[in-house]
Amino acid sequence: SVGMEVDHFFTPYLGVNGRMGLTSSQMEVAVEERKADWQVAERPLDHVSLSVGPCASLPLGGGFGIGMHLRGGYGFYPKTSLVGLELGASRGWGFEGGLSVGYLTSRRVSLQLVADYRSWSSPLVGVDNQGFSLGLSAGWGW
């Protein structure tokens, strides 16, 4: 998953956060070609999303701070083809939320450890598109 986030704070602690992202998920599909023969194929399922929502930041002192965000948005799956299965383009709603621990390296640059959870509608019936990610981010302000 890769994305770009923008925060705008109305107060020193509360603001709004927006994210545009691209997520690529690996899928395994079993296709029965003959009664006793199953073939498994792997192919990524891409998802493009745009979400927005509230965010908060709380300084802890010494350059450290914690943050949170909660976003709702709209996502799109492009048309894709898996072994014997054609998936048309699909759209739907979803939400994302996360926590971060950061360190302000200078007045305008920060490094953060981020934990995120995402849940989006899926183009596959009966399949949930949920994910948890842990990562690093760098931010700068002006």
Side-chain angles (χ1 to χ4, degrees):
S1 181
V2 64
M4 183 189 315
E5 291 187 31
V6 175
D7 295 329
H8 178 75
F9 282 86
F10 301 109
T11 74
Y13 308 109
L14 297 175
V16 65
N17 173 274
R19 180 178 193 271
M20 181 174 60
L22 171 65
T23 302
S24 186
S25 304
Q26 287 293 329
M27 295 181 45
E28 292 183 359
V29 179
V31 179
E32 183 180 6
E33 292 181 354
R34 295 181 303 222
K35 294 212 182 259
D37 186 21
W38 287 81
Q39 182 181 17
V40 177
E42 292 185 12
R43 180 177 174 93
L45 181 62
D46 296 328
H47 181 250
V48 179
S49 63
L50 184 61
S51 56
V52 66
C55 64
S57 178
L58 180 64
L60 299 175
F64 287 94
I66 57 174
M68 66 75 61
H69 61 267
L70 183 62
R71 297 184 296 259
Y74 198 67
F76 170 75
Y77 294 91
K79 183 178 177 180
T80 189
S81 174
L82 301 172
V83 176
L85 179 63
E86 296 289 328
L87 297 176
S90 175
R91 305 173 197 287
W93 298 98
F95 72 91
E96 304 173 334
L99 298 172
S100 64
V101 176
Y103 178 70
L104 200 59
T105 61
S106 72
R107 180 170 162 79
R108 299 187 186 267
V109 178
S110 67
L111 299 175
Q112 300 173 346
L113 177 63
V114 181
D116 274 335
Y117 173 78
R118 294 180 180 89
S119 179
W120 290 91
S121 61
S122 173
L124 302 172
V125 176
V127 176
D128 293 331
N129 183 6
Q130 300 179 34
F132 178 79
S133 61
L134 188 61
L136 296 173
S137 75
W140 62 92
W142 56 86

